[in-house]
Amino acid sequence: MANQAYVWSELRRRSGRTAVTAIGLAAGVGLVMGIVGVSDGLTSAQNKVLSPLGSVGTSIIVTRTVAPTTSTTSSSSSSSSNPGGSGFGKGGGGFFARGIGGFSGGSSQVATLLNNNASVITDLAKLGPAGTHFTHDFFVPGTLITFPSIAITDVSKIAGVTSAEGALYLQALHETGTVPKIVASVKTGGQTINTTVTPPALTAAQKASERSCILNLLQQSGVGAPSGGGGGLRKFANNPLLSQCLTPAQISYEQQVVVPERTITQVLNPPTTNISTSSFTVAGINPANQTSGLVTKSQVTSGNWFSSGSTNQILVNTAYASTNHLSAGGTLAINGTSYKIQGLVSPTLTGNVSDIYFPLATMQKLASASNYVNEVLVTVKSASDVKAVTAAIHRDLPGATVLNSKSLADQVTGSLANASKLATDLGGALAVVVIVAAFLIAGMLTLSNVSKRVREIGSLRAIGWSRSSVVGQIMAETVGIGVLGGVLGIGIGAAICAAIGAIGPALSVTETGLSVGASTLGSIVHQSTTGLITTQVHLTAPIHLSTIGLAFVAALVGGAIAGAAGGWRAAHLAPASALRDLN
Amino acid sequence: MTGTNTDAHDEPLYRLVNLAKQYSKGGVIVEAVRGVSLTIKHGEMVALEGPSGSGKSTLLQLLGALDKPTSGTIELAGTDLSKLNDRELTKLRATRIGFVFQNFNLIPTLTAAENVAIAMVPNKVEGRIRTARAAELLEQVSLGHRFDHLPSRLSGGEQQRVAIARALANKPSVIIADEPTGNLDSATAKEVMATLTSLKTLSGVTVIIATHDREIAGMTDRRIHLRDGSITEDVEVERQSAASTSE
């Protein structure tokens, strides 16, 4: 219908009109691409943050934490000052055991947790004689209760589960200082014991023996019959031999005195020490699994992944490494053992981000928790299985906390969430406004062009071009401009997206951390409450093939709409208009 | 596409009977053409003369199948144009009528050859043949060397010759020329008229020229003078006595 050479000539030789219209369309299309890119960028940033589990190849994290009901108990931690709550033994060694008393009446969960945290209630004396300088790392699970390793097997048997990987995620307390001298002085002795002793009654033979002995003495002292003179009787009474007449039991005997029981209670003042504490987080992971777990091989930023069979190797979080001036290939001493820093890793922002990662067996050994894990990372076959698997885990492991992406997503707030919402709400509307404006501009430019070509178009009609041919010609021209505008627009859009990526405005994300020592047991461990984690994500504006396709189609549609407007105008030009312009 | 002048020569090319055309202009009825009856033979070169508002442009539009009469009949080679619809009129223009305009009306973005070729597009002539015929026609109007030039790089006379070549592209029965020399100096005007005359002689095409210019009108075979929409004079011209005439 349209003549190709004519269309090409029009576009080429009316380059101003072609360029202006194409740039108009291109600007619109480019802006829309930018908007779509930002929107996609926000979505992917949100997905990145919201699906931390997915990004480590995990769909579900299973942990056990103390049920919230026990928090009422924990609030009474002030009772730890009550000496009645803890015995001497505990009080003496349990420098770190603050708050222990408060849990004495808690549920079995609490008991389990306390048991798990008990490693911290360490007899400092074991570190050396008082006054010895020590450095020691204590590993405590905080609020996460351990599972026996068998739980992993249980979970892996659930239908829909591809794999289940155990991890031991712990809070490490790095203590340095001097072993305190702890002395308890208890004063005893100096007691006065009063006892009333009643001698046993005399037997008849003893009485007769005593009587004959006394009578004999009376005769010797000349007292004679008892009716004798008083002087003789006094003499008798003073006779030292009188005591000889007494029965031996009346002279001396054995008597047991039982002193009444009593408890000596003494409040011990905590010893003054120079112990300083810093905490960091550690995790034991399966070094054989490089694709799913708390950290994956793809997250290694420098150095290497664990070499197989290694026990004395660690991976260090890049953030922790830079703060502590550690680098891959270096070593880190923990409790007297030197660990080689095999690599630095940059794990995902959410989930349980640790500062140091050990092979699981090493971690279990360090924490004296052989065959125990406190996290099970579950991979499911497909996203649709997540719900069913979550329910199954709840059933098989009562009391377990099961986190999936959705439950994590619900915890996210901050500017990213706001921006994403804004992009969803306004981005679409803005894109429509921009594209409509671009179409209007292209349409008006085309109408103006047709108006300038009244005589030309009238002439075409006069020499036999049909209405449809003329409309087709105008349409072909504007669609051609649309193609050009599309290509230009894709360039502009790519530039906008690249610029956004280069500037990379930061978006903050606040989420509830999964970390150890959430508020309920915060008092047990030092500095353990992590609470809310705020992270920053840099916005990028990715360009997808579909966006490019959309942009191109939009430009073509814009060209077609403009052509329809111009064509409508052209179709209504009378062929005689070619003549009418005459004088 | 039909060949040129296949019609029997005893049939006139045009037969106008009591032709009338009225316009409504600003609420006022303008009778542009009133009761014109006329026949034009094949191969004639006719000048339509008359002052502005005499109805010559309107009559030219009716002859060119650009417009339909209000009443009366206008037959082109036996076809009553008043009974054709827009599409049929367009088709007729594409096959039987060539146009030459005062302002040349070439497509400014197309070269001389393309401007000629574009006229053959409605008749679905193959591109290669279009180009070949355009070249041939440009040779005929002595513009073979201007083949690839844009109109803006051609003189007025050259442009008008391109327009004549375009008008001939579809081997029409008639060329309708509206003040073809109106924008040209007299020397160029004579050249253009010479071109038209020679082509007419060569191909036997009928030429109808609306003009103010008595000298131009004098170069035709027949002068039809219009005033207030009616024919006031219709004379055959003796070519040699070019000085003859007027109202």
Side-chain angles (χ1 to χ4, degrees):
Chain A
M1 192 181 286
N3 183 267
Q4 265 183 8
Y6 185 16
V7 170
W8 174 236
S9 298
E10 277 296 321
L11 295 183
R12 194 159 48 99
R13 298 195 175 120
R14 274 193 238 267
S15 54
R17 170 245 181 167
T18 304
V20 169
T21 313
I23 288 169
L25 280 175
V29 165
L31 276 174
V32 167
M33 267 182 80
I35 291 166
V36 171
V38 167
S39 186
D40 283 354
L42 286 169
T43 308
S44 75
Q46 209 179 28
N47 285 342
K48 190 172 161 191
V49 174
L50 296 192
S51 311
L53 308 183
S55 61
V56 292
T58 298
S59 317
I60 297 171
I61 291 183
V62 184
T63 58
R64 287 170 75 199
T65 51
V66 174
T69 48
T70 59
S71 62
T72 50
T73 322
S74 75
S75 66
S76 65
S77 61
S78 60
S79 66
S80 63
S81 60
N82 178 359
S86 53
F88 266 142
K90 274 187 175 175
F95 176 70
F96 304 105
R98 291 181 287 176
I100 282 294
F103 294 96
S104 55
S107 67
S108 63
Q109 279 187 335
V110 175
T112 312
L113 185 60
L114 285 179
N115 191 34
N116 290 340
N117 279 293
S119 66
V120 89
I121 307 163
T122 305
D123 186 354
L124 282 183
K126 285 178 183 168
L127 297 170
T132 309
H133 184 78
F134 73 91
T135 300
H136 200 84
D137 293 285
F138 299 93
F139 299 97
V140 294
T143 54
L144 296 177
I145 308 171
T146 51
F147 296 102
S149 295
I150 191 103
I152 303 168
T153 321
D154 288 350
V155 170
S156 66
K157 282 176 187 161
I158 293 171
V161 171
T162 313
S163 75
E165 195 61 67
L168 187 58
Y169 180 73
L170 299 171
Q171 181 84 14
L173 299 169
H174 183 75
E175 306 272 354
T176 58
T178 311
V179 177
K181 193 169 192 172
I182 302 164
V183 180
S185 341
V186 179
K187 205 180 230 177
T188 55
Q191 296 151 299
T192 304
I193 301 168
N194 296 316
T195 313
T196 306
V197 180
T198 308
L202 297 178
T203 63
Q206 284 170 329
K207 282 177 183 170
S209 166
E210 270 187 35
R211 180 182 294 145
S212 67
C213 179
I214 290 165
L215 286 175
N216 196 24
L217 280 174
L218 281 172
Q219 279 172 345
Q220 284 174 13
S221 49
V223 176
S227 57
L233 191 60
R234 187 172 295 119
K235 197 176 173 184
F236 162 73
N238 289 333
N239 191 332
L241 294 175
L242 186 59
S243 61
Q244 291 175 358
C245 299
L246 291 174
T247 313
Q250 287 175 303
I251 300 164
S252 80
Y253 60 95
E254 287 181 20
Q255 170 75 43
Q256 281 191 319
V257 177
V258 178
V259 177
E261 281 186 46
R262 43 173 278 204
T263 304
I264 299 172
T265 305
Q266 172 130 6
V267 179
L268 282 175
N269 292 324
T272 53
T273 68
N274 58 351
I275 293 173
S276 65
T277 303
S278 61
S279 73
F280 54 97
T281 51
V282 294
I285 58 169
N286 181 359
N289 190 336
Q290 303 182 348
T291 54
S292 75
L294 288 179
V295 67
T296 61
K297 191 176 185 182
S298 63
Q299 292 165 347
V300 174
T301 55
S302 84
N304 301 301
W305 184 253
F306 293 115
S307 46
S308 66
S310 65
T311 52
N312 289 356
Q313 291 181 348
I314 55 173
L315 298 175
V316 179
N317 190 322
T318 48
Y320 186 79
S322 79
T323 316
N324 293 280
H325 310 293
L326 301 172
S327 60
T331 56
L332 189 67
I334 292 163
N335 291 351
T337 309
S338 178
Y339 292 90
K340 181 172 185 242
I341 300 168
Q342 187 74 0
L344 301 186
V345 288
S346 184
T348 48
L349 297 165
T350 19
N352 291 6
V353 177
S354 290
D355 296 320
I356 299 172
Y357 296 89
F358 291 88
L360 183 57
T362 307
M363 186 79 262
Q364 286 171 334
K365 204 170 147 193
L366 272 169
S368 313
S370 296
N371 294 325
Y372 274 86
V373 294
N374 59 7
E375 281 192 21
V376 181
L377 302 146
V378 184
T379 310
V380 297
K381 286 196 182 86
S382 78
S384 55
D385 291 334
V386 169
K387 206 176 162 189
V389 171
T390 303
I393 294 170
H394 271 305
R395 192 185 59 236
D396 292 359
L397 302 172
T401 303
V402 183
L403 281 169
N404 52 40
S405 303
K406 190 181 179 309
S407 56
L408 280 174
D410 293 342
Q411 300 171 346
V412 173
T413 56
S415 67
L416 176 58
N418 299 338
S420 183
K421 191 174 182 305
L422 191 70
T424 314
D425 292 353
L426 286 181
L430 189 61
V432 168
V433 167
V434 166
I435 206 76
V436 165
F439 287 2
L440 279 176
I441 289 168
M444 279 156 75
L445 287 170
T446 305
L447 279 176
S448 145
N449 170 265
V450 169
S451 295
K452 278 189 222 157
R453 291 162 72 188
V454 164
R455 186 185 291 159
E456 178 184 325
I457 291 163
S459 300
L460 284 173
R461 293 281 284 120
I463 65 173
W465 277 52
S466 64
R467 263 179 228 280
S468 58
S469 293
V470 169
V471 172
Q473 173 69 27
I474 304 291
M475 285 282 278
E477 287 172 22
T478 54
V479 169
I481 290 173
V483 170
L484 190 63
V487 171
L488 267 177
I490 288 164
I492 291 173
I496 290 174
C497 291
I500 289 169
I503 299 165
L507 294 163
S508 71
V509 188
T510 306
E511 58 199 306
T512 313
L514 265 185
S515 58
V516 195
S519 57
T520 51
L521 285 185
S523 56
I524 270 196
V525 231
H526 301 282
Q527 305 169 4
S528 56
T529 307
T530 319
L532 297 176
I533 301 167
T534 297
T535 13
Q536 290 210 321
V537 178
H538 286 280
L539 178 64
T540 57
I543 302 167
H544 297 127
L545 207 60
S546 60
T547 311
I548 292 173
L550 185 79
F552 197 70
V553 168
L556 286 187
V557 168
I561 288 174
W568 179 83
R569 173 93 168 79
H572 285 76
L573 290 175
S577 58
L579 300 175
R580 254 176 218 159
D581 276 1
L582 304 181
N583 318 13
Chain B
M1 200 170 70
T2 55
T4 312
N5 302 331
T6 48
D7 316 284
H9 274 240
D10 49 345
E11 266 299 298
L13 179 65
Y14 277 105
R15 190 203 305 275
L16 282 63
V17 181
N18 214 9
L19 195 69
K21 178 68 182 177
Q22 294 177 354
Y23 291 115
S24 178
K25 198 171 185 181
V28 182
I29 304 282
V30 179
E31 291 187 74
V33 173
R34 34 180 122 184
V36 169
S37 293
L38 178 70
T39 56
I40 296 171
K41 295 195 288 286
H42 285 280
E44 263 191 309
M45 191 171 198
V46 181
L48 281 181
E49 291 178 282
S52 288
S54 63
K56 82 178 139 55
S57 280
T58 304
L59 184 58
L60 205 65
Q61 283 177 26
L62 293 169
L63 290 168
L66 294 169
D67 212 342
K68 282 160 74 169
T70 312
S71 65
T73 56
I74 172 168
E75 284 177 16
L76 172 59
T79 309
D80 189 351
L81 303 186
S82 61
K83 293 200 167 64
L84 300 182
N85 63 23
D86 182 72
R87 225 172 63 207
E88 289 161 340
L89 286 174
T90 302
K91 174 85 177 153
L92 188 83
R93 290 198 300 272
T95 53
R96 310 214 65 153
I97 305 172
F99 286 90
V100 177
F101 307 99
Q102 181 179 8
N103 293 309
F104 327 131
N105 292 13
L106 298 177
I107 308 296
T109 55
L110 297 181
T111 63
E114 287 168 338
N115 262 290
V116 176
I118 208 85
M120 292 176 264
V121 169
N123 292 328
K124 301 185 169 59
V125 179
E126 206 183 311
R128 207 159 26 85
I129 296 170
R130 285 205 303 261
T131 311
R133 177 149 174 76
E136 183 191 318
L137 287 164
L138 285 174
E139 290 288 349
Q140 280 185 32
V141 297
S142 314
L143 282 174
H145 59 297
R146 292 280 192 261
F147 201 81
D148 285 327
H149 288 224
L150 287 177
S152 56
R153 294 182 54 207
L154 297 173
S155 70
E158 287 172 329
Q159 285 191 53
Q160 198 59 300
R161 269 147 57 200
V162 173
I164 290 165
R166 177 176 71 180
L168 287 166
N170 293 318
K171 298 179 184 165
S173 305
V174 59
I175 289 176
I176 304 288
D178 192 357
E179 301 276 4
T181 58
N183 278 357
L184 302 172
D185 60 62
S186 60
T188 315
K190 278 178 187 155
E191 267 177 47
V192 167
M193 281 309 289
T195 306
L196 269 177
T197 309
S198 73
L199 288 170
K200 187 215 84 163
T201 312
L202 197 70
S203 63
V205 68
T206 305
V207 180
I208 301 171
I209 303 166
T211 183
H212 278 112
D213 192 325
R214 287 180 191 173
E215 206 174 337
I216 296 298
M219 294 168 81
T220 63
D221 303 334
R222 180 179 171 191
R223 299 169 68 163
I224 297 170
H225 205 98
L226 285 168
R227 172 162 282 193
D228 297 331
S230 299
I231 297 173
T232 55
E233 206 180 338
D234 185 348
V235 292
E236 300 276 334
V237 177
E238 184 53 50
R239 187 66 55 81
Q240 300 308 337
S241 57
S244 84
T245 129
S246 92
E247 15 196 327

